[in-house]
Amino acid sequence: MSTWANLGLQDSASPLMEQLIFFHDHALLILVMITVLVGYLMFMLFFNNYVNRFLLHGQLIEMIWTILPAIILLFIAFPSLRLLYLLDEINEPSVTLKSIGHQWYWSYEYSDFNNIEFDSYMIPTNELPTDGFRLLDVDNRIVLPMNSQIRILVTAADVIHSWTIPALGVKVDGTPGRLNQTNFFMNRPGLFYGQCSEICGANHSFMPIVIESVPTNYFIKWISN
Ligand code: CUA
């Protein structure tokens, strides 16, 4: 989860998020190079006294400064498309979790396991334990096994919500009347926090998501109660 003064991305907990961070850093580096170059050129213009009274056209330089930025943009476009299709790929999931957005809580269904279902509400500040995270902890956490492919089906019962977990690189809208799909692979144990990210009404900020990533045998123990 994010803590004080964490302005960047959270540490990744899945291979896809790791790739997203690599792409972010790659794009940012290109952005910095462009900004420095253009900034330098604009700054240097202030100290330029040269005048060319006969300048009407410059075909060659126009060609260069049109094609060159286009080529630079390809270095962002191709890795971006690679990531886009990588995020969309589903790799034989071993567990499927269904998340349903409500005003204002999430409910979950484990369709593979006797259709276990439960609601997950945020713990109000006045009921929060001293080691709890305010506006982020829930009464019933999702428990999922680490090191396995997990499929998430997202929908909503009333208005549009969005099931978002930054550390896993997951962000899927839950839309009434639709069923969206995504998948992820958690490569370490821990608690992963998320929040709804579609403006869904008065308590939009108060329907967080908590995933408990545990070893597979622990998950089996939990699911069989
Ligand atoms: Cu649900 Cu915002």
Side-chain angles (χ1 to χ4, degrees):
M1 65 178 279
S2 210
T3 48
W4 297 116
N6 182 3
L7 300 178
L9 292 159
Q10 294 178 28
D11 287 345
S12 79
S14 81
L16 285 176
M17 190 58 213
E18 190 178 29
Q19 292 296 315
L20 282 163
I21 292 171
F22 289 154
F23 176 67
H24 168 270
D25 295 350
H26 169 76
L28 194 68
L29 206 69
I30 292 174
L31 214 72
V32 167
M33 290 192 294
I34 294 168
T35 311
V36 168
L37 178 70
V38 174
Y40 172 76
L41 293 175
M42 287 173 75
F43 184 72
M44 278 334 225
L45 279 177
F46 289 115
F47 309 101
N48 182 341
N49 296 317
Y50 295 130
V51 173
N52 185 346
R53 291 195 294 134
F54 305 106
L55 181 71
L56 287 173
H57 56 89
Q59 236 93 79
L60 183 68
I61 192 65
E62 296 264 11
M63 286 280 276
I64 292 169
W65 72 41
T66 307
I67 293 169
L68 208 69
I71 292 169
I72 293 169
L73 287 184
L74 290 181
F75 282 90
I76 301 175
F78 285 121
S80 170
L81 285 170
R82 187 193 80 111
L83 235 179
L84 186 69
Y85 288 111
L86 218 53
L87 289 166
D88 212 32
E89 194 76 43
I90 42 158
N91 316 291
E92 295 176 51
S94 38
V95 182
T96 299
L97 175 73
K98 196 170 162 189
S99 321
I100 302 125
H102 302 260
Q103 276 174 320
W104 286 276
Y105 63 96
W106 291 96
S107 67
Y108 299 102
E109 293 177 12
Y110 288 78
S111 344
D112 300 334
F113 303 94
N114 217 11
N115 217 35
I116 294 169
E117 48 183 303
F118 57 87
D119 296 340
S120 183
Y121 282 86
M122 184 194 79
I123 301 176
T125 306
N126 56 315
E127 293 168 27
L128 198 70
T130 41
D131 57 351
F133 295 112
R134 194 177 76 95
L135 306 184
L136 230 39
D137 263 318
V138 294
D139 54 357
N140 295 306
R141 291 170 180 159
I142 311 157
V143 178
L144 284 170
M146 58 183 274
N147 289 332
S148 39
Q149 281 292 335
I150 291 151
R151 168 167 53 195
I152 306 288
L153 301 172
V154 189
T155 185
D158 32 53
V159 297
I160 303 176
H161 299 272
S162 181
W163 203 80
T164 306
I165 312 268
L168 300 174
V170 171
K171 184 172 189 289
V172 184
D173 274 15
T175 310
R178 293 239 230 161
L179 194 63
N180 287 331
Q181 175 182 258
T182 189
N183 74 304
F184 58 76
F185 180 98
M186 296 183 290
N187 52 17
R188 59 188 168 92
L191 290 178
F192 305 125
Y193 289 86
Q195 284 174 303
C196 176
S197 46
E198 281 284 3
I199 308 298
C200 58
N203 293 326
H204 156 68
S205 321
F206 312 119
M207 47 181 300
I209 304 147
V210 185
I211 296 184
E212 211 175 311
S213 172
V214 296
T216 313
N217 56 336
Y218 191 94
F219 172 74
I220 293 166
K221 222 179 273 179
W222 176 83
I223 206 86
S224 45
N225 282 325

